[in-house]
Amino acid sequence: MNSLPNRGEFLGHPKGLFLLFGTEMWERFGYYGMRAILVLYLVAQVQNGGFGWTNADALSLYGTFTMAVYLTPLFGGWLADNVLGQRKAIIIGGILMAAGHFIMGIPHSVVAGQEENVFYIGLTLLCIGNGLFKPNISTMVGDLYEEGDKRRDGAFTIFYMGINLGGALGPIVAGYVASEINWQAGFVAAGVGMVISVVMQMLLSKKYLGDIGVVPSAKLSQQQSESGTKEPLTKIEKDRIRVIFTMSVFSIIFWMGFEQAGGLMNLFANDYTNRVLMGFEIPASWFQSLNSIFIIIFAPIVAMIWLKLDKREPNSPVKFAIGLVFLALGFLTMMFALMTESAAPGGTLQISMMWLVLFYLFHTLGELCLSPIGLSMVSKLAPLRLASLLMGIWFLCTAVANKIAGFVGSFIGEGQEAMNNAMGIFIGLGATALISALAMYLLSNKLVDWMHGAEGDNEPHTQAHYLEKELEVSGERQ
């Protein structure tokens, strides 16, 4: 068993929690800073330091990259559990991600003729490093507390606030550096955040985390498993697995629309949005911070709403349906924007940035209704011996959604034609979300029956419990 370090407390929690808070915050700073400028860099003209790719090619690569971000943790989690241990996996992953950022930040003049090959090397290192880092740091938070410690819920709340703080700051800093200096400097700025994350772990983990995460968890659990026999799945377990599969498939619809944020909507903000405010032109990448900012603001509010509803609180499938409705409202907002805004003097439509703010607000509210239910649902319904596998399937569906998102966004086209194409994409995604919401609502009673009491009143109805759920899964998705 891991021995818990005794290094005192801060705000009623072990100081190790705040080390993990900072480690994850700076890693998310780097990742979201890089993601915010990735597509913009790819489509920028060569003379402006970019690659001059078409929107379709850039969004296709973006979809492949974000798909890999959700696939590699399946391998990285296994490697940490069985070979490396969580601590080593986090440090190795962080070093690889930092290297990826800095390689992407190498000036084109230094690697003339090999720019794209070097770029792909950097992107590959980011994917591999993310696979080692992402699935392991979150689990270490829970290891800081003894079984039954009531502070655990609050710990996850603090930890995931760090995720969203990093997610909010990264696009602002990296986006500003990229717009004021060049794209490569933006990637380097993201890499600096990753370096801070790794250095914090290397210098402080022994002191504040003790031996947590040092020994691979498979070796620790081996001592606790006396019997190797496997019982067949019961009918209740099979029904609950059906619920997980059904809701995982519906989650693909949500993330397919939601993940237009870093691709299609990033281009939309850059090319078709009036971003001038009081004489200052807001970088397009800054809009990528809105989701994290809105999570910090609205997660406690949504948590309190569920708490106030008490017994009238919607069940999990109905919350899924509500999340899909908010997704549709986001695309409806963009449809209104295209229909009501007039063209700029040059003939190209320039919509008000407030439409984008509303778009991200609706999608964040949808995320807070749907995303926290996902991992909570898997953890409640999955048979213990299949929990990791079924959690992997949930993330696999998210990976598929990211690839589809890139494919759908790639139909945007170029120039003025993109406006007509955008309207079609918004209508298609919005209609798909509404139809899926209706289907989920109609299936909700049957799905609850298949849960066999998991939606009962025996769950802890505390504000900390709800707030932890709201922030935990949004952090896991990120």
Side-chain angles (χ1 to χ4, degrees):
M1 295 293 291
N2 287 324
S3 62
L4 300 180
N6 184 18
R7 292 293 180 179
E9 296 183 351
F10 180 68
L11 298 179
H13 289 273
K15 291 181 179 179
L17 171 64
F18 298 93
L19 170 60
L20 296 175
F21 171 102
T23 303
E24 180 72 349
M25 183 192 77
W26 283 110
E27 185 275 333
R28 290 290 88 181
F29 172 96
Y31 173 77
Y32 275 97
M34 176 279 305
R35 197 191 80 157
I37 62 176
L38 177 61
V39 170
L40 301 178
Y41 166 63
L42 294 175
V43 302
Q45 296 299 314
V46 174
Q47 59 266 30
N48 294 329
F51 284 163
W53 286 13
T54 65
N55 290 343
D57 288 341
L59 291 174
S60 178
L61 177 70
Y62 175 80
T64 301
F65 168 68
T66 51
M67 177 181 69
V69 163
Y70 285 96
L71 288 178
T72 52
L74 298 178
F75 170 75
W78 179 89
L79 200 60
D81 286 343
N82 294 276
V83 181
L84 296 174
Q86 294 161 341
R87 289 255 283 275
K88 284 183 181 177
I90 288 171
I91 292 173
I92 294 172
I95 291 172
L96 290 175
M97 292 178 76
H101 287 304
F102 290 130
I103 287 174
M104 291 170 68
I106 296 175
H108 287 184
S109 59
V110 176
V111 290
Q114 296 295 320
E115 296 92 341
E116 290 194 14
N117 291 334
V118 171
F119 167 77
Y120 283 126
I121 292 172
L123 213 57
T124 300
L125 289 175
L126 282 173
C127 291
I128 297 172
N130 174 81
L132 289 167
F133 192 103
K134 180 180 174 63
N136 296 306
I137 190 165
S138 301
T139 57
M140 291 174 66
V141 174
D143 290 340
L144 286 168
Y145 300 86
E146 298 281 4
E147 190 70 29
D149 193 326
K150 295 181 179 179
R151 297 177 298 169
R152 190 186 301 251
D153 282 359
F156 275 104
T157 299
I158 294 170
F159 178 69
Y160 289 112
M161 281 293 187
I163 285 176
N164 288 290
L165 182 58
L169 293 176
I172 293 175
V173 175
Y176 180 77
V177 171
S179 65
E180 293 298 313
I181 304 176
N182 56 46
W183 300 110
Q184 285 71 38
F187 290 127
V188 170
V192 170
M194 194 66 249
V195 168
I196 295 174
S197 174
V198 172
V199 170
M200 289 179 66
Q201 269 297 303
M202 294 180 71
L203 295 182
L204 302 174
S205 59
K206 180 66 176 177
K207 179 178 180 180
Y208 292 110
L209 299 178
D211 63 356
I212 290 175
V214 173
V215 180
S217 59
K219 294 182 180 179
L220 290 175
S221 62
Q222 190 174 10
Q223 304 170 355
Q224 303 173 5
S225 180
E226 299 275 336
S227 172
T229 60
K230 293 184 179 179
E231 298 294 331
L233 292 172
T234 66
K235 182 183 183 303
I236 290 178
E237 289 175 329
K238 289 179 180 178
D239 283 346
R240 288 178 170 179
I241 290 174
R242 289 190 185 99
V243 176
I244 293 173
F245 271 94
T246 301
M247 296 179 75
S248 294
V249 170
F250 274 89
S251 76
I252 293 177
I253 305 298
F254 181 83
W255 297 121
M256 177 183 68
F258 185 91
E259 289 297 337
Q260 298 299 326
L264 171 62
M265 297 309 298
N266 211 1
L267 294 176
F268 206 92
N270 189 61
D271 298 335
Y272 306 106
T273 302
N274 180 0
R275 294 178 279 109
V276 177
L277 180 65
M278 294 186 292
F280 172 71
E281 185 175 27
I282 298 174
S285 55
W286 283 17
F287 289 90
Q288 299 299 297
S289 295
L290 288 174
N291 174 246
S292 293
I293 293 171
F294 285 147
I295 284 176
I296 293 171
I297 295 172
F298 288 102
I301 296 175
V302 172
M304 285 188 289
I305 289 174
W306 298 145
L307 185 64
K308 292 292 184 182
L309 288 173
D310 195 20
K311 293 183 179 180
R312 292 176 293 134
E313 178 187 356
N315 58 47
S316 295
V318 172
K319 287 181 181 178
F320 253 60
I322 294 172
L324 287 163
V325 170
F326 275 120
L327 181 75
L329 287 175
F331 290 115
L332 181 63
T333 296
M334 296 309 299
M335 291 161 55
F336 275 124
L338 293 180
M339 290 187 294
T340 58
E341 295 286 356
S342 58
T348 301
L349 182 68
Q350 293 284 293
I351 69 168
S352 167
M353 69 182 79
M354 291 309 300
W355 290 110
L356 263 68
V357 173
L358 284 174
F359 171 86
Y360 285 111
L361 173 60
F362 281 130
H363 280 201
T364 300
L365 292 175
E367 178 187 359
L368 290 173
C369 290
L370 180 144
S371 183
I373 307 306
L375 293 185
S376 176
M377 170 196 68
V378 176
S379 64
K380 285 190 300 185
L381 300 180
L384 183 60
R385 60 190 180 278
L386 296 177
S388 296
L389 174 63
L390 292 171
M391 191 67 76
I393 289 174
W394 170 265
F395 279 118
L396 177 63
C397 288
T398 306
V400 171
N402 276 272
K403 181 58 181 174
I404 297 175
F407 175 74
V408 171
S410 68
F411 286 99
I412 185 65
E414 307 287 337
Q416 191 59 38
E417 174 196 18
M419 289 298 92
N420 294 330
N421 295 341
M423 178 63 83
I425 292 172
F426 294 151
I427 291 173
L429 290 172
T432 301
L434 282 178
I435 293 170
S436 300
L438 178 61
M440 176 57 73
Y441 180 78
L442 294 176
L443 286 170
S444 60
N445 288 336
K446 185 63 176 177
L447 291 172
V448 170
D449 288 342
W450 282 346
M451 292 181 188
H452 293 284
E455 286 281 279
D457 293 331
N458 57 336
E459 290 188 276
H461 289 277
T462 66
Q463 184 172 349
H465 164 72
Y466 285 121
L467 185 56
E468 180 269 331
K469 286 206 299 180
E470 304 295 345
L471 291 171
E472 175 181 348
V473 186
S474 66
E476 286 292 341
R477 176 190 63 77
Q478 298 177 56

